[in-house]
Amino acid sequence: MDSLTELFCLIDDFCCQFEPALERRLLETGVKKRKRCSGLSLSELMTLTVLFHQLRFRQFKSFYLVYVCRHLQAEFPKLPSYQRCVELLPRCVAPLAALFEMLKGQCDGISIADATAIAVCDNRRIARHRVFADSARRGKTSMGWFYGFKLHAIINSRGELIRLRLTAGNVDDRKPMPDLCQGLFGQLFADKGYLAQWLTEALDQQNLQLITPLRKNMRPVPRTRFEKVILRRRSLIETVFDELKNLCQIEHTRHRSLFNFIVNLMAGIVAYCLSDNKPTLNLTRVNSLAKA
């Protein structure tokens, strides 16, 4: 997105369809509730959350007080206090998740899967951490132990996110894959952590071929030159994770609410989906290397 106006128009058009559909599906308890409209509309609030990640700010407080309140008063004339804005953020959870479903990429037959750790506190503070005590768990990756969640992702050859799943940090990378791969086709490339006979068979039943490197004690499996080249370039998804964490700021340890953690995560993912410069596989070069 090149401008704030384009971003707001995209989100506002989405909210015009999403909010009435959501109202029709909400369950009634019979208890009358006040439905006061806030100064910020849902589309304005979502625009601010996504803009925060697009502008690469490190803290939402400095973004809101220093940038938004000083420079965007004309665009957002009814800005509430910072504390009130933070209280409103949980309203964005469902809309941001639905917006990702609209913006996500499509399977093109070449998919790459992996999972990354989303730490919610420093390891030295695990014992006294309370915000995510009921949901976060200790997990271990090749980089060491962490406390938090895992983001399981599948991308296509254009670097677009096509599937996402958030689990506790102690969940095996392979466990969510059968459900996550529903509707995909072609070939799925992954690392050795996804080696499992049951997973290969489950994906075969979905017409999806799982291709991973082999361990030293395993029998050789015939691979085409094209498959070998793609396997060497499956680190593309690590580049996507790097952009999500270091540019879109989906990971930090200052959360005080589970809902606001989800808002921060999904807003960063939406900001990535709207990015024009995603890391991609150069399939022309891949084909030339495969023929060499």
Side-chain angles (χ1 to χ4, degrees):
M1 284 290 166
D2 295 329
S3 71
L4 176 60
T5 303
E6 289 181 11
L7 175 63
F8 174 76
C9 289
L10 171 70
I11 294 178
D12 191 54
D13 290 343
F14 165 78
C15 288
C16 287
Q17 298 181 3
F18 177 79
E19 288 187 277
L22 180 64
E23 286 293 330
R24 291 194 297 269
R25 291 178 176 271
L26 290 177
L27 298 177
E28 293 289 343
T29 61
V31 179
K32 291 184 178 180
K33 292 184 179 181
R34 297 175 67 185
K35 295 184 178 180
R36 295 174 58 190
C37 295
S38 63
L40 278 180
S41 66
L42 178 61
S43 54
E44 289 176 320
L45 191 61
M46 290 174 63
T47 299
L48 288 177
T49 61
V50 176
L51 184 66
F52 163 68
H53 295 276
Q54 288 185 329
L55 296 181
R56 315 308 189 202
F57 274 82
R58 304 291 294 184
Q59 294 182 340
F60 187 79
K61 186 174 185 178
S62 61
F63 162 75
Y64 190 80
L65 295 178
V66 177
Y67 180 74
V68 176
C69 291
R70 291 186 183 181
H71 303 289
L72 298 182
Q73 282 283 355
E75 289 79 2
F76 301 94
K78 297 182 179 180
L79 286 174
S81 66
Y82 168 72
Q83 184 61 37
R84 179 56 180 162
C85 182
V86 172
E87 292 173 355
L88 293 173
L89 286 180
R91 299 184 180 184
C92 298
V93 173
L96 284 172
L99 181 58
F100 166 72
E101 291 296 319
M102 184 184 80
L103 297 175
K104 69 181 182 181
Q106 300 298 318
C107 179
D108 59 4
I110 300 174
S111 306
I112 304 175
D114 205 351
T116 188
I118 306 292
V120 296
C121 79
D122 187 271
N123 287 345
R124 292 170 293 184
R125 295 191 287 110
I126 294 176
R128 60 180 185 271
H129 186 79
R130 295 291 179 268
V131 178
F132 300 99
D134 296 329
S135 52
R137 294 292 183 270
R138 296 184 190 225
K140 189 176 184 181
T141 67
S142 58
M143 302 300 291
W145 290 92
F146 71 97
Y147 180 76
F149 302 91
K150 276 185 180 180
L151 181 66
H152 305 264
I154 301 177
I155 64 172
N156 59 22
S157 64
R158 296 184 293 274
E160 298 170 336
L161 293 164
I162 56 178
R163 294 288 190 278
L164 285 177
R165 179 71 56 84
L166 186 71
T167 65
N170 59 351
V171 173
D172 190 307
D173 291 353
R174 297 167 291 189
K175 187 175 180 180
M177 294 309 295
D179 291 336
L180 206 57
C181 292
Q182 291 288 339
L184 301 186
F185 61 90
Q187 297 172 320
L188 178 68
F189 295 85
D191 59 28
K192 294 179 183 178
Y194 291 84
L195 277 170
Q197 185 64 31
W198 67 267
L199 180 58
T200 301
E201 293 174 353
L203 296 184
D204 279 342
Q205 294 178 358
Q206 301 179 25
N207 297 318
L208 187 63
Q209 181 186 7
L210 177 63
I211 300 177
T212 66
L214 301 177
R215 298 192 181 98
K216 293 181 179 179
N217 61 349
M218 296 181 66
R219 294 179 180 178
V221 175
R223 304 285 191 209
T224 65
R225 286 181 177 270
F226 180 83
E227 292 169 350
K228 292 178 181 178
V229 173
I230 296 294
L231 273 177
R232 292 198 297 268
R233 283 163 172 72
R234 69 184 185 281
S235 59
L236 176 72
I237 196 169
E238 297 292 347
T239 306
V240 173
F241 287 149
D242 181 71
E243 291 200 4
L244 286 171
K245 288 185 175 183
N246 297 319
L247 296 181
C248 297
Q249 302 297 325
I250 67 169
E251 180 186 43
H252 67 76
T253 59
R254 303 180 298 276
H255 294 292
R256 297 296 177 265
S257 161
L258 176 60
F259 286 113
N260 286 353
F261 162 75
I262 299 296
V263 170
N264 181 77
L265 176 68
M266 293 309 304
I269 289 170
V270 168
Y272 174 83
C273 291
L274 295 174
S275 171
D276 295 327
N277 298 315
K278 298 182 181 69
T280 62
L281 282 176
N282 188 338
L283 293 182
T284 303
R285 178 171 172 76
V286 169
N287 284 321
S288 64
L289 290 174
K291 295 176 182 177

